Amino acid sequence: MHSIFARVNNVSATISSTVMVLLAAIALSSFIFTAHSTGSLDVTTVKVFAGESRRYPHRRQEYAFVTFNITADLSPLFNWNTKQLFVYLEAEYTNAKGVRNEVVFWDRIVRRKQDAVIAVSGKNKYPFREVSAKFKGSTPANYTLKYNLMPFVGMLIYGEAARVTDPIDFPVARERVE
């Protein structure tokens, strides 16, 4: 007959196989139950100022300050498998050297469906600076509100909630804040 160890092994193997099949079904259901968010993004002003870099004390660098209005309803993205949403505002542009840049300058973590309706009028949370020191010669920037859906089980899902209709030029840099 079978020993107690063999029986415990069979039971634990059955339970772990069942749990793995259940988790795979949950992960696959994330692709079936997709939802789309709606929103609008309005960039009101973009100002560029010259300043000193924190990393390199005597190096001059240009910083962009963006003010924006966001309204977005991300509640359709929440279901029983949604752990949280990472929502961020991104600027995409190509600098004078031909390098394509994607800069995140504002973000928010949404953990509950009740907090998924976003209405923000604000400015950049993180420094928005050009690595090559100047925005002069850069292409106009496209601003986009994007999200990253983090499920309890399954793959991360990336999406776009809003986008400005026309790219916005970087103005000429000012030496001081007025």
Side-chain angles (χ1 to χ4, degrees):
M1 296 302 223
H2 297 292
S3 68
I4 189 74
F5 297 114
R7 292 178 187 198
V8 169
N9 185 24
N10 286 339
V11 169
S12 65
T14 302
I15 290 172
S16 64
S17 297
T18 304
V19 168
M20 293 305 281
V21 167
L22 180 64
L23 292 176
I26 290 171
L28 289 175
S29 72
S30 297
F31 295 112
I32 296 170
F33 302 117
T34 58
H36 300 286
S37 61
T38 58
S40 67
L41 170 63
D42 180 35
V43 175
T44 54
T45 61
V46 177
K47 296 179 182 177
V48 177
F49 296 102
E52 288 195 15
S53 174
R54 293 178 125 188
R55 184 172 290 176
Y56 306 106
H58 300 291
R59 182 177 176 203
R60 298 292 289 173
Q61 194 168 27
E62 291 183 351
Y63 293 89
F65 294 91
V66 181
T67 56
F68 53 86
N69 297 320
I70 298 172
T71 55
D73 183 14
L74 304 173
S75 57
L77 298 173
F78 278 85
N79 59 28
W80 53 275
N81 193 25
T82 303
K83 182 177 182 181
Q84 66 184 13
L85 281 174
F86 179 69
V87 183
Y88 56 98
L89 192 57
E90 179 181 85
E92 302 172 29
Y93 66 97
T94 304
N95 66 7
K97 295 181 180 180
V99 178
R100 185 170 172 258
N101 295 304
E102 296 178 356
V103 180
V104 174
F105 58 92
W106 179 87
D107 66 1
R108 177 178 285 177
I109 295 175
V110 180
R111 292 195 171 106
R112 299 181 310 165
K113 188 174 185 175
Q114 295 85 358
D115 301 331
V117 177
I118 297 174
V120 175
S121 293
K123 60 180 182 171
N124 43 323
K125 187 175 176 182
Y126 305 112
F128 181 6
R129 59 190 169 100
E130 171 54 40
V131 178
S132 66
K134 296 193 179 292
F135 284 106
K136 184 179 180 183
S138 297
T139 61
N142 289 311
Y143 295 91
T144 311
L145 181 67
K146 295 184 177 183
Y147 63 86
N148 179 355
L149 190 141
M150 299 174 196
F152 286 108
V153 178
M155 295 178 53
L156 299 175
I157 299 170
Y158 293 89
E160 184 176 303
R163 176 181 283 269
V164 292
T165 54
D166 296 321
I168 299 171
D169 286 324
F170 291 105
V172 177
R174 300 182 199 174
E175 282 301 317
R176 60 189 171 113
V177 179
E178 298 173 358

